[in-house]
Every structure is written in structure tokens, then in C-alpha cells.
Amino acid sequence: MSTTTDKPRGGLAALCVAELVCWGLLYYSLPVAVTPISADMGWSHTTVTAALTVGLIVSALMGPTVGRMLDRHGPQLIMGAGTVIGVLALGLVAIAPNLFVFFAAWILAGFAQAATLYPPAFAVITRWYGAERTKPLTTITLVGGLASTVFAPIIAWLIDGLGWRGTYGVLAGLLAVLALPMHLFFLNRTWTDEASASAVKPSRAELRQVTRDPRFITLQIAVAIATFTLFAVTINIIPLIIERGAAYSLAAIALGLVGFGQVAGRFGYPSLERHTSTRARTVILFASGAVGLWLLAFVSGPIWLLIGIAMLTGGVRGCMTLLQATAVSDRWGTKNFGAINGVFVAPITAGTALAPVAGPALAGVLCGYPMMAVAMAGLLTLATLLSART
């Protein structure tokens, strides 16, 4: 199939730049700044990080609404407005006098995330490329996956020179200068007449026909569990490997290699797609992730082997991003994709928000990170069985 609507010249490149910047500033900036903010304001690291979690939950709740708006109005207005809201949110972080305003700023950032991060970008790519969407989806996730690599050192350098408040003022300006033009000048103002028929506001019956399909609900639950478990373990790989006897510096390198594994996994996803059916691909990835988590739970060493397993598990996690991006369109087509995919990813986004804090909390209850990995491996094994029914 050819493209489903006209692609603006430079649209994919512009969207890649916008995703790189939005992920770097609206998501990764707080993990980088958490220590100086905590030291300056007297808030615990958990409290500061919770602000990002709350914002991501808001993003999950807003996902279906943003998807419907994208289908009806096109991406320029929705993603452009989301960027403006993001600029205001980062500016509010910079001047936040107390914890209430700080949380309010990240709640506002949650609205911006819903309109600018992967789900709306995937909807645009799917509309532009139709059946040829896998390669551009891979491209945009590869670029977006570099957000922390690009912006973490820049943000740390700015904090050293300007403090965290001055840094967030600069980040608000960077978001306006780097991302807003990409959305305003390189995205469709409205969808073309060819695509307008599918952009008409769908009836509730049309949406419910898909979103209340038992297969849809089963797949939604399975992908949410898989995303949550893989993220909970890999984002906490440092304390897990330290409990196995590794030094902190080596464990930190392991976390970086997990990120490298994610990028490598995304490179390999198009080949997997060409050689497998939709259901087989889903089961293979889920089962591979479950094996990785079981190995991380029970393999006690040597450390190099644990790091290798963590990298391979990171590769599965990287593939899961692309599986999530194509799960709906592979099964139910691209009609009303924004609205349907918005419903689909809502619990997945919420799970991603909760995973970083759920991992340590569960490790505390179960007396260690290896036992936390056992629990997550069990959940992912259950999700694998569910995925076979989708």
C-alpha cells in the first residue's frame, strides 16, 4: 500500500528532531536534575521523581482524547499546542516556589507529553506511510532513543553553570526554538481529502467495536504487563547487579549497555517483522523478554554474563516500542487509528510511569532485587500466554 496521505517535504526528519527534543526535555530532564533539586529544596528523591510519574499518568489519561483530536483535526494544531504547553510547563518548573507548584508544573507537562511524545508521532507516521510504516517508525524510535544520550550531559552542564532553575528556563526556550517550528512548519494542517473520510469523527459504536473486542482488551493487558515488567527490571539494573557483587561503576556501565541493547533491538525489528506473522512476532518477543527476566533473577554470575543478559533483555524492550506502535494497525487497520491507539496505549503509559518506583518498592517487600525480577518474570510469562490469544 502507498502512503495514506501526503507527507510534507522533510516531515519525517522534522518529526524525528521534535521527538528527540521533546523526550530529552519533557521526560529525561527531571531524572538528570533530581539530585540538585532535592538538595536545594529539601525534597526527597522519591518525591521529586513522583512529580514526573504523576505527569505521565496525566499523559496516559489524555491519550485517547489526543488521539481523537489528531484524527479529526490533523497534527499541526495538536502537536504544536502540546509543545506550547510544554514550554509553559518547563517555565513553571523554573520558578516553582514550593512542592505544590512543582507538581502542578509536571501535571501540565503531562498534557504536553500526551500531545508530543511517541503515541501522537506514531499516529502521524501511520497516516503518512500506511503499510510502509515500519521503517519510518523504526527511524523515529532510534532517534528518540538517543534523547538521554544527547540531552543528559547538556542538562548536567547547564545545571553546573546556571543551577536547576536557570537550566529549566533555558530548556523552556530550547523547546520553543527547536521543537515548535518542527510541528508548525512540517506537519499537516489538516488531513488531505483522500484521508478525510477516515478522519470524520467516528461514532462510539465504531470505536467500541474495536476497543471492546476481547482480542483488543487481551492484547492491551498483555502489552501493558510486558512493558511494565521489562521496564521495572531494566531501569533498576544497577541495584540488581550490585546485589550480585558488582561495583557501582560497573553497574552504571550495565545500565548504559541496556540502552545500547534497546537501540540494537530496534534495528533488528524490521527483519523480525518480515519473517513472522503478527501473532508469532508478539509471542516471540514476550517469551524472549520472560526468558531474559528469569535469567536475571536466577543467574548469579559472572557479572559479564549478567550484563550480556541485561543487554539482550534491553533489546527486547526496544522491540516492544515498535510492537506497541504497530499492534493496533496490524490487527485492525489504520481507520480511526489515533483514537483507537490512544485507548490502547493509555494503560501502557501508566505502567511505564509506575515501573521505576514499583521496582524498588517490590524489591523492599520481597527482600531483594533478584526476587523482584522473579515476580516480574512470572508476570511476563503470564502475558506471553495471553499474547498467544491475540
Side-chain angles (χ1 to χ4, degrees):
M1 184 193 326
S2 60
T3 61
T4 55
T5 190
D6 295 335
K7 303 183 296 293
R9 179 176 296 180
L12 178 59
L15 202 52
C16 285
V17 170
E19 288 302 296
L20 178 72
V21 174
C22 289
W23 274 103
L25 305 187
L26 292 173
Y27 185 89
Y28 288 108
S29 66
L30 190 56
V32 176
V34 62
T35 298
I37 292 174
S38 177
D40 182 44
M41 302 302 291
W43 306 328
S44 70
H45 284 207
T46 301
T47 300
V48 175
T49 305
L52 178 61
T53 296
V54 171
L56 288 168
I57 291 172
V58 170
S59 174
L61 294 173
M62 286 299 300
T65 300
V66 169
R68 289 193 297 270
M69 294 173 71
L70 273 171
D71 282 341
R72 293 171 60 189
H73 303 296
Q76 185 187 84
L77 173 64
I78 307 307
M79 299 188 77
T83 308
V84 172
I85 293 171
V87 171
L88 296 175
L90 295 180
L92 188 59
V93 171
I95 63 173
N98 52 49
L99 191 60
F100 177 82
V101 176
F102 186 79
F103 266 73
W106 283 102
I107 288 172
L108 190 63
F111 288 92
Q113 292 161 353
T116 60
L117 297 185
Y118 279 154
F122 290 164
V124 173
I125 293 294
T126 299
R127 181 65 70 96
W128 281 349
Y129 289 90
E132 301 169 1
R133 60 190 173 273
T134 300
K135 185 175 180 180
L137 285 171
T138 302
T139 300
I140 202 168
T141 57
L142 288 172
V143 174
L146 295 173
S148 61
T149 304
V150 171
F151 282 101
I154 294 173
I155 293 168
W157 175 74
L158 286 171
I159 290 173
D160 284 340
L162 301 175
W164 70 270
R165 291 188 183 276
T167 296
Y168 269 98
V170 171
L171 297 185
L174 287 176
L175 187 63
V177 170
L178 298 178
L180 188 57
M182 301 298 105
H183 290 149
L184 294 183
F185 300 134
F186 293 94
L187 298 183
N188 310 69
R189 178 175 297 178
T190 58
W191 298 120
T192 63
D193 290 340
E194 179 185 353
S196 293
S198 65
V200 174
K201 182 179 179 180
S203 67
R204 290 188 177 184
E206 287 180 300
L207 295 181
R208 288 175 179 174
Q209 184 178 5
V210 175
T211 59
R212 295 192 178 183
D213 183 334
R215 287 190 311 142
F216 181 93
I217 296 171
T218 301
L219 181 67
Q220 187 182 43
I221 293 171
V223 175
I225 292 173
T227 304
F228 172 77
T229 54
L230 287 168
F231 192 42
V233 174
T234 55
I235 199 68
N236 291 293
I237 200 69
I238 289 178
L240 190 153
I241 291 185
I242 287 175
E243 287 194 15
R244 296 299 196 190
Y248 174 79
S249 58
L250 182 58
I253 292 173
L255 180 60
L257 291 175
V258 168
F260 177 81
Q262 287 185 83
V263 173
R266 289 169 184 169
F267 271 113
Y269 184 84
S271 177
L272 178 65
E273 184 188 52
R274 286 194 299 271
H275 294 93
T276 57
S277 67
T278 299
R279 184 169 66 173
R281 182 164 59 252
T282 304
V283 174
I284 289 169
L285 287 176
F286 280 41
S288 299
V291 170
L293 295 189
W294 283 117
L295 290 174
L296 287 172
F298 287 112
V299 173
S300 58
I303 298 301
W304 63 264
L305 178 58
L306 277 170
I307 293 175
I309 295 168
M311 285 181 64
L312 293 174
T313 307
V316 176
R317 183 179 149 198
C319 288
M320 287 296 299
T321 303
L322 288 164
L323 181 74
Q324 172 190 324
T326 57
V328 169
S329 55
D330 282 347
R331 291 167 173 82
W332 292 280
T334 58
K335 183 179 180 182
N336 303 318
F337 177 81
I340 294 170
N341 197 58
V343 174
F344 181 75
V345 302
I348 299 168
T349 304
T352 302
L354 295 172
V357 293
L362 193 58
V365 172
L366 298 177
C367 302
Y369 282 87
M371 288 306 299
M372 180 272 286
V374 169
M376 295 300 173
L379 282 174
L380 187 47
T381 300
L382 173 62
T384 303
L385 297 175
L386 286 175
S387 71
R389 305 183 64 179
T390 63

